[in-house]
Amino acid sequence: MSITVVGSIAYDAVKTPFGERERMLGGAAVHFALAASLFEQVHVVGPVGDDFGEGELDLLRGRGVDVSDVERVAGGKTFFWRGEYGWDLNSRETLDTQLGVFEGFQPKLSAGSRASDVLFLANIQPDLQREVRAQLPGARFTALDSMNLWIEDARDSLVQAICSVDCVILNDAELRQLTGKPNLVSAAREVLSWTSSPPSSGENHSSEDAPTPGSARGPSVIVAKQGEYGAALITRERFFSLPAFPLESVVDPTGAGDTFAGGFVGYIAAHLGEGDRELSDELLRAAMAHGTALASFNVEEFGTERVLRLTGEEIAARVRELRTITSFSGATLLPRN
Ligand code: AMP
């Protein structure tokens, strides 16, 4: 079941304690597409400038990614992001963001991109996410990512975008910021209570603002990304969590979240395409494992370098290891009185 992704296609300048790159291929849509294309055909939607190399597009094509909706804007400059990490690779500083061709971008999807049954709205201006969502009204599974910038500057539009998708994938801090709730599980359950008529904006983000749950469609799956601590999955009925895969060497976390999303959504798309009718708990948990495994490869080298060389056997081996390190047995020991 093919996947359409809209989001940034970028050049990134990144510095970590382990090295730096001045201009490497990046962008949320690129990281997502390289991961998801390991499982399914991906259509990428987004603008680039004259400065974007044909070689970079070839890297995507080489993975079977359809780039016909990558719009080259004459005279424009490709989105550019510069970030720096300290020893704590969980937090980074954004030093520069140049929107370039994203300013004034109007997403126009081809018939191929509109025909996808699975849609991922990577982190971009929420109005654009909603425009793209409206162009795939019949999609069977839709997911969205966002960031603190849009929670602060475009909350109303973001909440409407959230209410139009099945799955929200956010950092834990972003979920807290979005809902004003310090507890992660309560924050996720708050978003799960949102429906197509979203709560109004304002300082008070309490659940009293939210419309009656279940009265219309809204998100039914929340994934809280927790950086080096892993990711949690929260649905109305259940909770599941996986640690990040334990690595001795992490070089560059840029794109880990989007790579996770690519593995998670890609796995779901492949299974829905094989006849799975619903998002069972089993399917969602296995998707979490595949997202976690893919993200762990992404951080081993700079940018897209490691994921570009990744093989199916390497992924399968890491998912098996993840299963081993997270399972336990033994009877529950009753405490002595
Ligand atoms: P992640 O590390 O998963 O949060 O994603 C990092 C990627 O997001 C980088 O490759 C950047 O090019 C891209 N990025 C950074 N800031 C933005 C932004 N404001 N809008 C869209 N994409 C961004």
Side-chain angles (χ1 to χ4, degrees):
M1 191 166 272
S2 76
I3 306 164
T4 292
V5 56
V6 59
S8 55
I9 303 165
Y11 281 122
D12 290 344
V14 173
K15 187 170 179 188
T16 82
F18 311 103
E20 57 189 297
R21 295 285 184 278
E22 203 34 50
R23 192 171 166 85
M24 64 182 181
L25 174 63
V30 168
H31 285 289
F32 176 92
L34 289 175
S37 61
L38 289 156
F39 302 104
E40 271 297 345
Q41 150 106 83
V42 179
H43 306 267
V44 177
V45 178
V48 296
D50 295 323
D51 55 339
F52 198 73
E54 203 53 34
E56 273 81 337
L57 286 179
D58 283 342
L59 290 175
L60 289 163
R61 288 190 189 104
R63 284 291 269 278
V65 174
D66 172 29
V67 294
S68 53
D69 279 347
V70 174
E71 189 186 329
R72 197 178 278 281
V73 180
K77 263 194 80 185
T78 300
F79 181 94
F80 177 78
W81 176 76
R82 181 183 292 278
E84 186 169 338
Y85 299 78
W87 287 105
D88 174 8
L89 292 170
N90 249 2
S91 67
R92 70 179 172 212
E93 197 182 350
T94 290
L95 301 173
D96 193 10
T97 302
Q98 295 172 21
L99 289 180
V101 288
F102 261 99
E103 280 181 280
F105 172 58
Q106 299 272 306
K108 292 177 282 299
L109 274 62
S110 63
S113 295
R114 284 201 312 270
S116 287
D117 275 315
V118 175
L119 173 65
F120 184 63
L121 305 167
N123 166 33
I124 45 165
Q125 221 286 344
D127 293 345
L128 290 177
Q129 292 182 314
R130 287 163 58 208
E131 278 178 43
V132 173
R133 176 69 185 92
Q135 293 182 51
L136 280 89
R140 279 189 58 196
F141 180 70
T142 54
L144 164 154
D145 186 10
S146 192
M147 70 186 293
N148 55 355
L149 174 70
W150 310 125
I151 298 171
E152 283 151 26
D153 290 3
R155 186 177 183 277
D156 283 358
S157 183
L158 174 60
V159 171
Q160 286 185 47
I162 286 173
C163 290
S164 75
V165 297
D166 303 300
C167 173
V168 175
I169 304 176
L170 286 178
N171 291 336
D172 51 359
E174 292 161 352
L175 267 171
R176 294 190 181 101
Q177 187 187 4
L178 176 68
T179 57
K181 287 191 183 285
N183 178 283
L184 183 63
V185 178
S186 320
R189 298 244 194 263
E190 159 98 23
V191 177
L192 287 168
S193 77
W194 294 352
T195 60
S196 309
S197 19
S200 55
S201 63
E203 288 304 302
N204 181 5
H205 302 153
S206 80
S207 57
E208 277 97 85
D209 288 342
T212 325
S215 57
R217 193 170 149 155
S220 58
V221 178
I222 310 291
V223 176
K225 295 177 285 180
Q226 297 166 303
E228 66 176 307
Y229 304 111
L233 172 86
I234 303 115
T235 61
R236 288 192 189 95
E237 302 79 25
R238 297 200 205 287
F239 178 92
F240 177 67
S241 160
L242 279 179
F245 187 84
L247 294 169
E248 286 200 24
S249 160
V250 175
V251 168
D252 171 26
T254 307
D258 305 304
T259 305
F260 174 93
F264 180 81
V265 174
Y267 186 89
I268 289 172
H271 281 264
L272 290 178
E274 277 174 13
D276 283 18
R277 297 203 158 266
E278 54 173 65
L279 290 174
S280 65
D281 213 40
E282 193 187 358
L283 173 63
L284 290 170
R285 287 174 180 226
M288 288 279 288
H290 285 75
T292 300
L294 279 168
S296 74
F297 285 110
N298 174 82
V299 303
E300 285 180 337
E301 294 181 24
F302 274 92
T304 59
E305 289 166 13
R306 181 67 181 95
V307 173
L308 275 169
R309 298 198 312 277
L310 202 48
T311 65
E313 188 35 55
E314 287 176 317
I315 299 167
R318 201 158 274 188
V319 170
R320 280 196 299 275
E321 273 186 76
L322 198 56
R323 182 174 289 136
T324 306
I325 65 170
T326 54
S327 79
F328 65 92
S329 55
T332 310
L333 187 61
L334 291 177
R336 300 191 299 157
N337 278 349

